[in-house]
Amino acid sequence: MQKSNIGLIGLAVMGENLALNMERNGFQVSVYNRPHGNEVSVVSNFINGRGKDKKFLGFTSIPEFVESLESPRKIFMMVRAGSPVDELMEQIIPHLSKGDILMDGGNSNFQETNRRVEYANSKGILYVGAGVSGGEEGALNGPAIMPGGASQAWPLVQPILQKIAAKAEDNTPCCQWIGEGGSGHFVKMVHNGIEYGDMQLIAEAYQIMRLQLGMNNSEIAQQFAIWTQGKLKSYLIEITAAILNHKEPSGEYLIDNILDAAGQKGTGKWSVINAMEFGQPLPLIATALFERNLSAHKDLRVASAAAYSRVITPKVDKESRELQLKKLEETLYASKLVSYAQGFELIRKASIELGWGLDLSTIARLWRGGCIIRSQFLNSIAKAFEENPQLENLLLAPYFVQEITNAKQAWKETIANATMDEIATPAFSSALQYFYALTTANSPANIIQAQRDYFGAHTFERIDRKRGEFFHENWSGMGGNTKSGSYNA
């Protein structure tokens, strides 16, 4: 029996489609899925279904699965994040040899990946945490892949991963080595956080068109389709146009029958938690996360809407509508730039603190195809970081300074008009307020420091002394010279 080039564990939606992608690109693939009692084997269903007459070997035994792979063995795990990954590692490592490679393609927490890289290394195994983005379609036709971990593994898995990855417009594979430890999963986590922000911004644009501009589903879909031809060109904009045009067999638009309660799987929450851990502002993505939480409270929102009833009168004048749509386009664009700026700032800070040495231009380029947040302006983002690898914030790049300056007036007016009509635009507003705060040289935080020192002797720095020198004031005349230690929690 000819040995397989790679093994894949986990034949759920993503795993099954990745296996088909690997086989279509010329690799023989061994597949394994944990048996489920007396049910018909998931492996058998796949081998006799979508995998029929293709270069697959199916197994329900781990030893046989491992034995079917050429050396050094390369195994791609597509199982649920958390304890299932650890359990699978314990089952499979005893059957591996030194130098074999385990890859985790799920949405694992980067800290768990850090731990697993070290643990696998202690057993002589090379471990890779590979973030995979693109959903079902991407997994089948070419996702963006963000591998990190044991760098010795990269030359061995690169030919396979780059072959199955999406290709950008310049034919560059949307898969590049990210860095050490859990860096691949960290970058995927931030990708998903940006995805949360993008989706909330698009939803707010939809709400403005629907309520304020009185547009129907077909008209809104047409507007999103128009935007895909310009600087807003992106996967999420494209699918939004398709979603709004989709009808049920009854002839009704499906979107009108979908409950407005959004779910989530945790990576957005992790992005916000880690932003706080690294002391980095991530307000737009946090807002998007909290809006999903609020959307789940449907009954409360219905009751609140009844208590504070309001009537929104759409502006249907064609000339006025066209003007508002142009302003809305600028608002969406500027807000998306803020979302990406916050995400890349978080990646940059983590890279510095954890010693990963991540290349932000490379990350921007590998997001240009396959992944959910692929957008036209990622080329401009990559160029900005290429021209200045030390760029502290994307909004300081000359190109984006000009873009934001051009959009600012429309951005302000869109939010102001929505506010006057009592239409919620939390993410648009968060983006603009972040921009204002970022560009405020002298913030009111001095009063906060004074308050902290007054009630808790937490000390403060002075503008007439060098940074890092702390002072305490006896504000009331009744305190002493004892002061609290300075630290960041």
Side-chain angles (χ1 to χ4, degrees):
M1 179 180 68
Q2 181 182 348
K3 297 207 170 187
S4 294
N5 308 113
I6 188 168
L8 186 138
I9 298 177
L11 289 173
V13 174
M14 289 292 287
E16 180 176 285
N17 282 287
L18 275 171
L20 290 165
N21 183 348
M22 291 171 181
E23 193 275 343
R24 189 182 67 251
N25 277 286
F27 303 105
Q28 180 171 301
V29 186
S30 289
V31 295
Y32 167 83
N33 200 89
R34 180 171 58 88
H36 294 277
N38 295 323
E39 299 175 24
V40 175
S41 168
V42 172
V43 174
S44 295
N45 283 341
F46 175 72
I47 294 293
N48 297 314
R50 296 180 76 188
K52 189 176 178 62
D53 298 325
K54 293 181 169 64
K55 293 178 292 181
F56 289 111
L57 300 177
F59 299 92
T60 55
S61 159
I62 285 180
E64 292 176 0
F65 166 76
V66 172
E67 182 58 32
S68 74
L69 302 172
E70 65 183 18
S71 185
R73 300 177 182 94
K74 295 169 276 292
I75 298 172
F76 207 95
M77 301 182 292
M78 289 300 297
V79 299
R80 187 164 55 86
S83 60
V85 179
D86 293 311
E87 291 167 8
L88 181 57
M89 287 180 69
E90 291 301 324
Q91 293 170 17
I92 203 167
I93 284 178
H95 303 284
L96 300 180
S97 301
K98 186 176 181 179
D100 286 348
I101 301 162
L102 275 179
M103 293 175 278
D104 174 14
N107 279 332
S108 290
N109 185 294
F110 84 97
Q111 292 169 323
E112 293 187 344
T113 303
N114 280 337
R115 171 177 57 78
R116 289 169 187 147
V117 169
E118 292 183 7
Y119 174 69
N121 183 62
S122 73
K123 303 290 185 179
I125 306 302
L126 303 177
Y127 193 88
V128 175
V132 177
S133 176
E136 180 180 358
E137 180 184 343
L140 180 62
N141 298 315
I145 308 175
M146 294 149 259
S151 58
Q152 308 96 302
W154 178 233
L156 303 172
V157 300
Q158 180 181 5
I160 297 177
L161 297 187
Q162 290 194 333
K163 189 77 179 288
I164 68 170
K167 306 299 183 290
E169 291 180 355
D170 60 3
N171 207 39
T172 302
C174 294
C175 172
Q176 301 294 335
W177 185 251
I178 299 298
E180 300 294 323
S183 59
H185 275 137
F186 189 92
V187 168
K188 174 57 168 40
M189 175 195 74
V190 176
H191 163 285
N192 285 20
I194 294 172
E195 179 184 308
Y196 275 51
D198 263 12
M199 294 169 76
Q200 178 63 30
L201 292 169
I202 290 170
E204 291 177 19
Y206 159 73
Q207 187 80 323
I208 286 174
M209 285 188 271
R210 187 166 66 109
L211 298 184
Q212 190 177 47
L213 303 184
M215 298 167 66
N216 60 36
N217 289 327
S218 177
E219 291 170 327
I220 300 173
Q222 184 179 8
Q223 187 58 49
F224 276 111
I226 290 170
W227 285 345
T228 64
Q229 304 306 308
K231 59 188 178 183
L232 281 175
K233 181 181 179 182
S234 68
Y235 173 71
L236 284 170
I237 296 287
E238 290 172 9
I239 68 168
T240 302
I243 287 166
L244 287 161
N245 273 324
H246 190 84
K247 292 183 178 180
E248 298 191 83
S250 64
E252 294 181 289
Y253 285 98
L254 176 57
I255 190 65
D256 294 333
N257 291 321
I258 295 178
L259 183 69
D260 56 328
Q264 54 186 300
K265 287 192 172 180
T267 44
K269 179 177 70 175
W270 291 348
S271 294
V272 175
I273 290 171
N274 280 285
M276 292 188 287
E277 291 291 342
F278 286 108
Q280 286 300 115
L282 206 71
L284 192 154
I285 292 168
T287 296
L289 173 69
F290 292 138
E291 286 304 305
R292 290 199 188 189
N293 292 342
L294 182 57
S295 77
H297 296 274
K298 175 69 174 179
D299 293 342
L300 174 62
R301 289 187 292 108
V302 170
S304 301
Y308 296 93
S309 61
R310 61 182 180 267
V311 177
I312 300 170
T313 304
K315 299 174 178 63
V316 293
D317 173 72
K318 185 176 181 181
E319 186 176 340
S320 172
R321 178 187 286 179
E322 289 301 315
L323 177 61
Q324 295 304 317
L325 285 172
K326 285 185 173 62
K327 292 179 181 178
L328 183 57
E329 179 181 15
E330 293 294 335
T331 299
L332 183 53
Y333 178 64
S335 299
K336 280 167 68 73
L337 289 180
V338 167
S339 182
Y340 282 74
Q342 291 176 6
F344 274 102
E345 193 175 1
L346 175 56
I347 293 173
R348 177 180 175 275
K349 182 65 178 294
S351 176
I352 292 171
E353 291 204 9
L354 299 175
W356 285 337
L358 304 187
D359 186 329
L360 300 187
S361 63
T362 294
I363 292 168
R365 291 191 191 285
L366 75 83
W367 283 350
R368 292 178 300 162
C371 71
I372 302 300
I373 65 169
R374 57 186 185 265
S375 302
Q376 177 78 16
F377 57 67
L378 277 161
N379 281 308
S380 300
I381 292 175
K383 186 177 179 182
F385 286 120
E386 205 168 56
E387 291 175 349
N388 181 8
Q390 306 307 316
L391 184 65
E392 191 170 351
N393 188 296
L394 190 62
L395 300 186
L396 296 179
Y399 175 79
F400 290 112
V401 168
Q402 190 59 54
E403 292 289 280
I404 291 289
T405 300
N406 292 341
K408 189 166 64 171
Q409 187 60 32
W411 198 6
K412 293 189 294 184
E413 290 180 11
T414 297
I415 294 169
N417 290 335
T419 301
M420 292 305 295
D421 282 336
E422 301 186 42
I423 297 173
T425 56
F428 283 156
S429 302
S430 174
L432 182 61
Q433 293 304 321
Y434 168 82
F435 168 74
Y436 284 149
L438 179 70
T439 55
T440 298
N442 296 307
S443 81
N446 55 334
I447 197 73
I448 295 172
Q449 279 302 88
Q451 291 168 338
R452 294 179 72 242
D453 190 56
Y454 192 108
F455 66 67
H458 293 296
T459 74
F460 54 84
E461 295 172 278
R462 296 180 59 95
I463 62 173
D464 53 357
R465 301 293 176 88
K466 64 181 180 181
R467 290 296 306 268
E469 190 175 352
F470 291 87
F471 301 86
H472 167 58
E473 177 71 11
N474 184 0
W475 297 91
S476 65
M478 294 182 290
N481 295 322
T482 304
K483 57 188 178 183
S484 176
S486 178
Y487 64 94
N488 289 316

